[in-house]
């Protein structure tokens, strides 16, 4: 028995924050942002929308497309770096509540932008062991809640959104999640970090005054390691599975920076047509970026049943990973 990705869904908030809007907020220009990142605009959740609202809406779509009832879901896992609450309850529990799912395991994982790849790895293990049958996985982020809109090195990069998928089982290898590799190295933790509000720097007036509740990133150092790691990941998973780059139908890298995607794509010789690119309209939505990109391709009929997708992610931790996944959902119509 194999695990299968049976459906994809996504939700993007309505409010759009353009580069021109950011020009009025920090010392930056549309030209700089476009040239250095490829981002033109990003979505920002409204003040009364929280992460679980975004995750809930993406989940509704994924559940409906999988053709199952909510009471058939036997586990809910959410990847997020911007949970509804810092410690508890989990965002997964809040999504379950909103969906009306009762009496099933629901928990969050923290793997930053690699969150969705980690989710696939977890769901695959639970399904293939026979422990669970229909798992809802959700990457959901209201990153705007942990961004300092006076810090031009981060505020131009990130956006809000969510993506969700149903993972179930199959006996057909042609619709299976073939493999996932994922890893982490905490030695790089300081390069991409939200230093405040945890046990290290608890919520206290001085810490808040020092803006420790906001994300900090040593962008240029992260950039170089990201390119190298994302490239090595792909080489490793393709070699391990004896698959050539030509056999990949769609390459879906984490959407952090157009230049990172382009460097990895060209090193690995994937064509532009085969590479997911949503960075210009959504920015970096962390754990939601891969499922949001997958959903975009799906709705544009660029992913169909049986297609071999290669997912590739890198993020804070550092964490990284890639996955070889056949799309097992119905074609979009
Ligand atoms: N507007 C104008 N100038 C800027 C801005 C801005 N928004 N931000 C920085 N600059 C300036 C810097 O101050 C610097 O000026 P200086 O040369 O006078 O010192 C200059 O532009 C170059 O800065 P760099 O940081 O070297 O710019 P770089 O080309 O590296 O681009 C960026 C920065 C976009 C952040 C890039 O490094 C990047 O994308 N990094 C990786 C992001 C990533 O992959 N993160 C991992 C996933 S995210 C997650 O897990 C949450």
């Amino acid at each position: 028995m194999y695990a299968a990705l049976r459906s994809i869904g996504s939700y993007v908030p309505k409010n759009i924050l353009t580069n021109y809007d950011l020009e009025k907020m920090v010392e930056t220009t549309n030209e700089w942002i476009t040239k250095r990142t490829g981002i033109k605009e990003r979505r920002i959740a409204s003040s009364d929308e929280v992460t679980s609202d975004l995750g809930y809406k993406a989940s509704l779509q994924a559940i409906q497309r999988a053709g199952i009832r909510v009471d058939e879901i036997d586990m809910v896992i959410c990847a997020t770096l911007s949970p509804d609450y810092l410690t508890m309850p989990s965002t997964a529990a809040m999504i379950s509540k909103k969906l009306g799912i009762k009496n099933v395991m629901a928990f969050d994982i923290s793997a930053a932008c690699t969150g969705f790849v980690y989710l696939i790895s977890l769901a695959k293990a639970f399904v293939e062991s026979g422990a669970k049958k229909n798992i809802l996985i959700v990457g959901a982020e209201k990153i705007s809640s942990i961004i300092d809109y006076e810090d031009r090195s981060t505020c131009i990069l990130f956006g809000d959104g969510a993506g969700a998928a149903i993972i179930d089982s199959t006996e057909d290898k042609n619709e299976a999640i073939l493999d996932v590799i994922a890893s982490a190295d905490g030695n790089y933790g300081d390069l991409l970090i939200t230093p405040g509000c945890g046990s290290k720097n608890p919520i206290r007036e001085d810490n808040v005054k020092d803006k420790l509740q906001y994300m900090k990133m040593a962008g240029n150092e992260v950039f170089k390691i990201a390119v190298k790691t994302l490239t090595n990941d792909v080489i490793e998973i393709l070699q391990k599975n004896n698959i050539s780059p030509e056999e990949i139908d769609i390459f879906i890298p984490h959407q952090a920076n157009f230049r990172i995607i382009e460097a990895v794509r060209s090193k690995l010789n994937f064509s532009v047509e085969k590479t997911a690119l949503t960075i210009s309209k959504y920015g970096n939505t962390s754990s939601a970026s891969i499922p949001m990109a997958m959903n975009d391709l799906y709705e544009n009929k660029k992913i169909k049943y049986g297609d071999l997708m290669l997912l590739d992610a890198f993020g804070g931790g550092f964490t990284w990973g890639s996955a070889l996944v056949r799309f097992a959902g119905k074609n979009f119509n």
Side-chain angles (χ1 to χ4, degrees):
M1 189 165 62
Y2 304 99
L5 187 142
R6 195 62 68 188
S7 67
I8 188 74
S10 144
Y11 173 75
V12 288
K14 293 198 173 37
N15 305 333
I16 295 175
L17 181 70
T18 67
N19 292 349
Y20 297 106
D21 297 326
L22 285 161
E23 281 184 353
K24 293 175 207 142
M25 297 159 67
V26 288
E27 209 183 314
T28 192
T29 59
N30 169 53
E31 196 198 351
W32 192 96
I33 303 172
T34 307
K35 201 166 148 216
R36 297 290 181 116
T37 71
I39 303 167
K40 296 260 183 214
E41 58 188 44
R42 66 290 289 142
R43 300 299 178 103
I44 304 293
S46 59
S47 56
D48 59 355
E49 265 180 324
V50 295
T51 303
S52 64
D53 293 323
L54 313 185
Y56 159 71
K57 286 177 183 162
S59 299
L60 277 180
Q61 203 172 49
I63 294 165
Q64 185 256 324
R65 286 174 178 169
I68 58 170
R69 300 184 312 271
V70 288
D71 62 10
E72 292 177 276
I73 293 167
D74 49 11
M75 184 152 92
V76 180
I77 329 173
C78 176
T80 183
L81 54 72
S82 48
D84 286 10
Y85 304 100
L86 188 60
T87 65
M88 59 188 169
S90 70
T91 304
M94 293 297 96
I95 293 170
S96 298
K97 181 187 88 167
K98 286 168 189 176
L99 288 167
I101 298 174
K102 288 194 185 111
N103 300 324
V104 309
M105 237 164 108
F107 60 96
D108 291 354
I109 62 157
S110 167
C113 301
T114 316
F116 200 73
V117 171
Y118 271 51
L119 286 177
I120 290 178
S121 177
L122 274 172
K124 179 177 189 294
F126 273 100
V127 165
E128 290 181 356
S129 71
K132 300 292 171 194
K133 288 193 172 61
N134 292 298
I135 302 178
L136 170 63
I137 58 172
V138 192
E141 303 284 6
K142 186 176 177 179
I143 308 188
S144 58
S145 65
I146 55 159
I147 290 294
D148 175 5
Y149 283 94
E150 291 180 348
D151 175 6
R152 67 176 184 174
S153 70
T154 52
C155 75
I156 57 143
L157 297 171
F158 293 93
D160 301 335
I166 293 292
I167 309 293
D168 66 4
S169 61
T170 181
E171 285 175 2
D172 182 356
K173 203 175 176 190
N174 292 320
E175 55 176 31
I177 296 170
L178 300 179
D179 197 13
V180 187
I181 55 165
S183 204
D185 187 344
N187 285 304
Y188 295 101
D190 287 346
L191 296 182
L192 181 43
I193 187 167
T194 311
C197 301
S199 62
K200 177 134 183 168
N201 302 298
I203 303 174
R204 271 196 332 239
E205 210 179 333
D206 53 339
N207 289 334
V208 172
K209 211 183 272 169
D210 289 343
K211 296 188 166 188
L212 298 192
Q213 69 274 31
Y214 295 128
M215 183 196 295
K216 325 268 175 219
M217 177 161 68
N220 201 266
E221 285 169 77
V222 177
F223 186 100
K224 288 178 210 147
I225 302 169
V227 172
K228 209 161 108 196
T229 310
L230 286 163
T231 309
N232 290 345
D233 260 3
V234 168
I235 293 168
E236 186 187 337
I237 201 165
L238 290 179
Q239 280 178 354
K240 187 176 160 215
N241 290 275
N242 209 10
I243 287 174
S244 68
E246 298 76 50
E247 291 174 78
I248 301 298
D249 296 304
I250 291 286
F251 176 46
I252 311 182
H254 169 50
Q255 308 284 308
N257 184 318
F258 174 73
R259 289 185 296 138
I260 297 179
I261 298 170
E262 193 48 27
V264 177
R265 185 200 68 73
S266 58
K267 266 198 187 122
L268 297 163
N269 268 331
F270 291 119
S271 68
V272 175
E273 296 72 40
K274 278 187 172 186
T275 305
L277 211 55
T278 52
I279 179 96
S280 66
K281 54 182 182 174
Y282 301 140
N284 181 348
T285 56
S286 194
S287 67
S289 100
I290 287 181
M292 283 170 70
M294 192 187 292
N295 186 69
D296 252 52
L297 289 165
Y298 176 66
E299 292 184 355
N300 285 305
K301 302 189 179 178
K302 288 185 178 156
I303 293 178
K304 55 187 190 315
Y305 174 80
D307 275 355
L308 182 55
M309 306 181 287
L310 173 57
L311 321 183
D312 193 16
F314 178 87
F318 286 157
T319 54
W320 61 92
S322 55
L324 281 168
V325 180
R326 291 226 177 253
F327 187 72
K330 289 195 188 90
N331 290 343
F332 186 79
N333 54 43

